[in-house]
Amino acid sequence: MKYKVRYIKNSERSDVPFVFEETELDAVDEAAARDAYEAAKSSAPEGALRIDLVCGEGYNWEKVAEDTL
């Protein structure tokens, strides 16, 4: 299983309300992924509105955690 941190930001384009910026985590299990997720909260890119922790592969990703920034 792979884990990613997904930042949700406002789009600069008027036809697209939000954009996602994803970073794949090098985590061996969910506990390690959650630790990396907590650390990623403090280094969110400018303008990020929300952060999600997702897991999955290919086109099948499931939200594990989310927080408003």
Side-chain angles (χ1 to χ4, degrees):
M1 187 84 43
K2 294 181 183 179
Y3 294 91
K4 291 182 182 181
V5 169
R6 179 185 297 156
Y7 298 102
I8 293 86
K9 303 177 354 178
N10 281 324
S11 174
E12 295 177 5
R13 295 175 40 180
S14 61
D15 60 333
V16 179
F18 301 104
V19 292
F20 299 97
E21 184 177 313
E22 295 182 336
T23 303
E24 192 165 320
L25 300 176
D26 188 24
V28 294
D29 60 12
E30 188 173 329
R34 284 185 179 273
D35 288 342
Y37 168 75
E38 291 297 326
K41 287 182 193 179
S42 63
S43 61
E46 187 175 327
L49 304 171
R50 197 175 81 211
I51 182 173
D52 296 339
L53 174 63
V54 296
C55 69
E57 292 186 26
Y59 291 104
N60 299 317
W61 292 87
E62 179 181 317
K63 192 181 303 183
V64 177
E66 69 177 70
D67 283 292
T68 302
L69 298 173

